[in-house]
Amino acid sequence: MDKTTRSRRAIRLTRKVPSGNLLDGLEQVTTFDRPIRSIAKTVRRKIGPGPVRDTLHGVPIGHPLHPSLATIGIGCWVAAAVLDWTRADGRAARVLLATGIGTALPTAAAGLTDWSTLHREQQRVGFVHALTNATATGLYTASLLLRMAGKERAGRFFSFAGLGAVLGGAYLGGHLAYRQAAGANHAESLSHLVPLGWHDLCALKDLPNGRPVTRRLGYIDLFVLRLGDGVTVLADRCSHLAGPLHQGRLVMEHGEPCVICPWHGSVFRISDGTVAHGPATSRQPAFQTRLRRDGTVQVRPAP
């Protein structure tokens, strides 16, 4: 076999190997964009800003609430499948099914709230994720009703079908979280990117008073706000989905100056970067500042 023949054969074999990026194409499917846009807009309007939305996003606990709730439901349904497979305890299996079904509504509420503030490519995958999980919940509900009617065998069948659907939904959720970085912190700690000590940033006279701007420190884009002779510095990329904070609007929240991310409306306290309102759940890395005698602003990561 000559070299050219071997090369052609290798190309043919490569083409037959299934791609590991099976969901990448789903991100580009526009078929459901109209209902996605309508549902996302309705969710944002109905919930509105405030403590309910912040709770559903997970602001009080410092990370998204939806994955934590989903873990409870999936754990109950997997445990029920083990009991069904071993025929160990039908009553315990029904209790686990009911518990999983009971967590479905708050899990869906938290998931929809997060989903409504994602990028369109993420929303496309999330839409199918939601449909798959709704199917799983319907199958588990049917399973529980059949068991309560004494039809254990049919109930187990619907339960295993539900497990298949919920595992498919979990796979889509993993793609959202790990491939598309939905819910991940996009403003990681910056201390390892900045050497120890103080660093010159810019001259105070070059900063406009009362208007945020961006400045660069090494590899890092910074949000810089001058108020008189004081300067506040945060990481510029929003922790939610990396929006440019320096393009955001300044507001007062409970007497504290804050900045609103221009992309999805996350609100951060300028003093220390903590989250005032979601969808962000992770704080913005903050920097300490000082002014040299020659008017140069210096910064270092806040501890």
Side-chain angles (χ1 to χ4, degrees):
M1 185 183 298
D2 59 31
K3 185 175 181 181
T4 302
T5 303
R6 287 197 302 269
S7 299
R8 289 175 178 172
R9 184 177 179 183
I11 292 172
R12 286 197 299 269
L13 289 173
T14 302
R15 287 174 178 170
K16 292 179 181 179
V17 176
S19 171
N21 303 328
L22 297 177
L23 295 181
D24 288 349
L26 181 58
E27 300 172 10
Q28 308 304 323
V29 175
T30 61
T31 306
F32 299 109
D33 278 4
R34 181 172 295 179
I36 285 172
R37 186 163 48 246
S38 176
I39 295 170
K41 184 178 180 180
T42 300
V43 170
R44 292 194 300 268
R45 185 178 69 251
K46 290 294 184 181
I47 298 177
V52 173
R53 189 181 76 169
D54 287 343
T55 300
L56 290 173
H57 279 308
V59 173
I61 62 175
H63 62 75
L65 178 63
H66 174 70
S68 302
L69 293 176
T71 301
I72 298 172
I74 294 175
C76 288
W77 288 335
V78 170
V82 173
L83 293 177
D84 282 344
W85 185 260
T86 59
R87 309 289 178 88
D89 190 333
R91 183 174 180 274
R94 289 193 294 272
V95 171
L96 288 168
L97 288 179
T99 303
I101 294 168
T103 64
L105 183 60
T107 302
L112 275 172
T113 304
D114 288 341
W115 172 84
S116 68
T117 58
L118 295 177
H119 295 317
R120 186 52 49 83
E121 291 80 8
Q122 295 167 326
Q123 287 181 333
R124 290 167 181 160
V125 177
F127 185 73
V128 181
H129 169 73
L131 292 178
T132 306
N133 286 334
T135 300
T137 303
L139 290 168
Y140 278 116
T141 301
S143 173
L144 182 60
L145 293 175
L146 286 168
R147 292 167 194 253
M148 293 173 63
K151 301 177 180 179
E152 290 290 334
R153 185 174 180 179
R156 286 194 296 271
F157 173 81
F158 274 87
S159 182
F160 284 123
L163 180 63
V166 81
L167 291 179
Y171 178 71
L172 290 166
H175 183 84
L176 270 167
Y178 297 110
R179 180 69 66 83
Q180 295 183 295
N185 179 9
H186 290 258
E188 62 170 331
S189 175
L190 301 175
S191 57
H192 64 287
L193 298 176
V194 181
L196 296 176
W198 292 93
H199 305 275
D200 293 345
L201 182 62
C202 62
L204 179 66
K205 63 182 179 61
D206 293 335
L207 296 174
N209 191 26
R211 179 171 62 85
V213 294
T214 182
R215 292 291 184 267
R216 196 165 182 85
L217 180 65
Y219 301 103
I220 306 166
D221 291 322
L222 299 179
F223 164 97
V224 183
L225 175 64
R226 173 188 176 185
L227 295 174
D229 289 335
V231 179
T232 301
V233 178
L234 303 174
D236 189 52
R237 293 183 178 273
C238 174
S239 64
H240 176 233
L241 283 175
L245 287 188
H246 74 278
Q247 296 180 13
R249 181 166 53 91
L250 301 178
V251 296
M252 296 295 291
E253 285 281 339
H254 305 293
E256 294 185 86
C258 298
V259 60
I260 302 177
C261 177
W263 282 8
H264 301 103
S266 297
V267 182
F268 300 94
R269 297 179 182 89
I270 290 174
S271 59
D272 57 5
T274 54
V275 180
H277 298 295
T281 58
S282 300
R283 63 181 292 273
Q284 288 297 117
F287 288 75
Q288 293 177 330
T289 63
R290 72 180 184 184
L291 190 63
R292 284 194 340 197
R293 291 183 178 179
D294 62 358
T296 300
V297 178
Q298 292 186 312
V299 298
R300 68 179 179 185

